[in-house]
Amino acid sequence: MESFAPNNTPFPPLIAAKDGSNFTYASLHDRVPHILTDVINDFYAAIQSRTDSDEAVAEGKQLTSALSRLKHEMVTDKLLTPLEEDGVGDTAKWNSWLAKYFPQATWYSAPFLVWEPYLYRRIAMIFKRSQYWNTYDFFASRKKNTFIASMVAVAKLCARVDKLTRECLEDPSTTKLHLAFIEMLQASLWGNQTDLSMFPDLSNERLEEMQAQISSGENNSKIVSNDTDKIWSIVSRISKGRVDIVLDNSGFELLQDVLLAHWLVSVGIARQIVFHPKRIPWYVSDVTNQDFYWLINALQDPQSVGASGLSSSDEAVLKSLGNQWSSLLASNVWVLKDELFWTGPYGYRYLPSEGSDTWMELVNADCVIFKGDLNYRKLIYDLQWPVSTPFIDAIGPIATDPNAPAVVSLRTAKCDTIVGVDPQRARELFALRKDWMYSGEYGVIQLSPGRWN
């Protein structure tokens, strides 16, 4: 592929259309300001609950003003300004990247994959620079409440995977393992639909409906590019290997990912699973270390988080799996690594050069699974790709590096960029619905075989 730089890409980036006609514009003009307003309102409620410290309340009001100024900058199309030092560890990289590639960028002139991550990094900066609120996760209550409200569906899913795993151990034939792998991989894919940055008003009823569709397999005809069998041809050759999962959303999607990890270890494919969460709160519902441990604790003791409606058998399966997973973490069979690269400015084609420490970690894996829409966009870069562009071509250096692991992307499409789709299939989808690329109803399971080729 021809020369590729963040500000000089082979195809045009996604930029808000001046006439307001594209998804990027709708996100910048409507969806994301809505999210920032929710952050401000939720934080205001958190401030009111702080009766222990007048200083914390006073500082909270200052932070609210800073968030309001950020929203004003966004909706009035101001310049993207440098970050202030906040101790996270990547401020210099962010600022040098902005100065080198996007020195005069404004919110409406910058590519989607510039202004949106920048927004969440700015929000984090506001809190990280504070004294009383620097560990506050401004998305935590939404993430937890959504999961707690769906705990009965969670228990049913856990029971299904627990049963499936035991069946595989009783009958470890290639056919049985293959079929189980397809079910687990597709469940992990569709778990990505429950994304609070895309659906900030997701109701409990709609969430339960989505979960039922995932569990039933109803969605699988909507996989528009499907490399599952090619992935299985690699995974079936792995024995006691290492599988990494670059996580996306907490809650129900994280549960699907953890269940996939549970199955991979239980049947002997993986001896170690390395999860890669975010180090700072990110994109509303992305997984942090705290979210991961909270989920394990919630399963170990559902009553402690306010779960209701569970039967005794529901509680038993949740506690059993929660205890098993706690032991896997304690014994380093499961490991969490929250590298800063995931919340940095660079796309993933720059992992070998700009994220070399993270890349050297990933090449220790046999297979790396990238979850979700943002990870997909950072893998291929947010461009107006011809839909038939091969996935391997779009991800560039991390496909061609001789040490590259197998790279798998599980993504429900929530942004109007996609590759690896047959042109005829794309034409049919556009005829069916113009928003298929960002509706969240269609998905891809795509593979770069790396050194397994």
Side-chain angles (χ1 to χ4, degrees), residues 125-143:
M125 181 197 80
I126 289 170
F127 285 95
K128 287 296 183 184
R129 285 174 55 81
S130 70
Q131 179 179 353
Y132 297 97
W133 301 92
N134 62 348
T135 60
Y136 177 73
D137 182 348
F138 31 92
F139 299 130
S141 61
R142 284 172 177 267
K143 291 185 280 191

Side-chain angles (χ1 to χ4, degrees), residues 6 23 53 89 97 163 170 232-233 339 343 348 359 389 394 426 435:
F23 177 70
S53 170
W97 178 82
K163 180 174 182 288
E170 293 166 4
W232 174 247
S233 73
E339 298 92 347
T343 51
Y348 297 168
W359 181 240
T389 305
D435 68 347

Side-chain angles (χ1 to χ4, degrees), residues 166-181:
R166 285 186 278 106
E167 289 173 354
C168 288
L169 294 175
E170 293 166 4
D171 173 20
S173 65
T174 301
T175 300
K176 181 66 177 179
L177 291 174
H178 186 190
L179 293 173
F181 177 73

Side-chain angles (χ1 to χ4, degrees), residues 365-425:
D366 296 292
C367 176
V368 181
I369 300 171
F370 286 86
K371 287 301 309 295
D373 189 70
L374 179 63
N375 280 325
Y376 185 85
R377 292 165 58 198
K378 284 204 154 193
L379 277 169
I380 69 168
Y381 235 70
D382 236 6
L383 307 180
Q384 296 175 37
W385 292 101
V387 295
S388 60
T389 305
F391 178 68
I392 292 171
D393 290 352
I395 68 174
I398 64 171
T400 57
D401 187 307
N403 298 313
V407 169
V408 173
S409 178
L410 305 180
R411 178 238 190 172
T412 56
K414 302 165 195 162
C415 180
D416 46 357
T417 184
I418 200 165
V419 297
V421 178
D422 179 79
Q424 178 59 34
R425 176 76 164 127

Side-chain angles (χ1 to χ4, degrees), residues 183 186-187 190 210-223:
E183 180 177 336
Q186 291 181 351
W190 294 117
M210 293 166 76
Q211 291 167 344
Q213 290 171 339
I214 292 166
S215 300
S216 69
E218 179 182 334
N219 287 338
N220 294 335
S221 63
K222 295 183 177 179
I223 302 174

Side-chain angles (χ1 to χ4, degrees), residues 60-329:
K61 292 177 180 177
Q62 293 173 358
L63 300 186
T64 301
S65 296
L67 291 167
S68 297
R69 287 194 298 273
L70 173 59
K71 181 181 175 183
H72 179 75
E73 288 177 31
M74 178 171 57
V75 300
T76 57
D77 196 25
K78 296 294 190 289
L79 286 170
L80 304 184
T81 57
L83 299 177
E84 299 175 65
E85 182 54 56
D86 60 3
V88 171
D90 63 350
T91 303
K93 176 159 280 194
W94 263 101
N95 287 343
S96 64
W97 178 82
L98 280 170
K100 183 176 181 178
Y101 298 114
F102 303 100
Q104 297 301 314
T106 66
W107 290 86
Y108 278 80
S109 69
F112 202 167
L113 204 54
V114 173
W115 66 258
E116 193 177 30
Y118 170 81
L119 167 72
Y120 289 100
R121 186 61 186 83
R122 277 281 302 275
I123 296 172
M125 181 197 80
I126 289 170
F127 285 95
K128 287 296 183 184
R129 285 174 55 81
S130 70
Q131 179 179 353
Y132 297 97
W133 301 92
N134 62 348
T135 60
Y136 177 73
D137 182 348
F138 31 92
F139 299 130
S141 61
R142 284 172 177 267
K143 291 185 280 191
K144 292 176 182 177
N145 292 343
T146 303
F147 187 76
I148 293 166
S150 61
M151 196 67 87
V152 173
V154 164
K156 291 176 182 175
L157 178 63
C158 286
R160 166 61 189 155
V161 173
D162 185 50
K163 180 174 182 288
L164 181 66
T165 303
R166 285 186 278 106
E167 289 173 354
C168 288
L169 294 175
E170 293 166 4
D171 173 20
S173 65
T174 301
T175 300
K176 181 66 177 179
L177 291 174
H178 186 190
L179 293 173
F181 177 73
I182 292 172
E183 180 177 336
M184 297 302 304
L185 198 69
Q186 291 181 351
S188 182
L189 162 68
W190 294 117
N192 181 238
Q193 285 187 316
T194 56
D195 180 346
L196 294 179
S197 71
M198 266 298 292
F199 309 111
D201 296 322
L202 189 65
S203 67
N204 293 336
E205 292 77 14
R206 176 59 183 139
L207 179 64
E208 290 182 4
E209 180 184 331
M210 293 166 76
Q211 291 167 344
Q213 290 171 339
I214 292 166
S215 300
S216 69
E218 179 182 334
N219 287 338
N220 294 335
S221 63
K222 295 183 177 179
I223 302 174
V224 299
S225 177
N226 192 347
D227 289 336
T228 298
D229 287 343
K230 294 177 182 177
I231 297 166
W232 174 247
S233 73
I234 292 173
V235 170
S236 62
R237 287 182 273 160
I238 300 173
S239 178
K240 302 295 181 183
R242 169 173 158 176
V243 175
D244 285 27
I245 304 177
V246 182
L247 297 168
D248 189 26
N249 296 301
S250 58
F252 193 74
E253 180 177 1
L254 174 59
L255 176 72
Q256 300 277 11
D257 301 337
V258 169
L259 288 167
L260 173 60
H262 170 85
W263 184 84
L264 289 168
V265 169
S266 297
V267 301
I269 291 170
R271 62 170 172 74
Q272 186 176 57
I273 304 288
V274 179
F275 298 96
H276 299 269
K278 306 300 192 300
R279 192 173 299 185
I280 57 176
W282 196 246
Y283 273 69
V284 185
S285 49
D286 278 31
V287 182
T288 63
N289 281 321
Q290 292 80 4
D291 295 328
F292 195 101
Y293 287 109
W294 181 88
L295 182 140
I296 305 298
N297 292 335
L299 264 63
Q300 287 181 293
D301 188 1
Q303 299 303 324
S304 70
V305 298
S308 60
L310 295 170
S311 67
S312 58
S313 60
D314 288 338
E315 287 204 27
V317 73
L318 292 176
K319 291 180 179 180
S320 173
L321 289 177
N323 289 335
Q324 289 178 57
W325 297 345
S326 181
S327 296
L328 291 172
L329 287 165

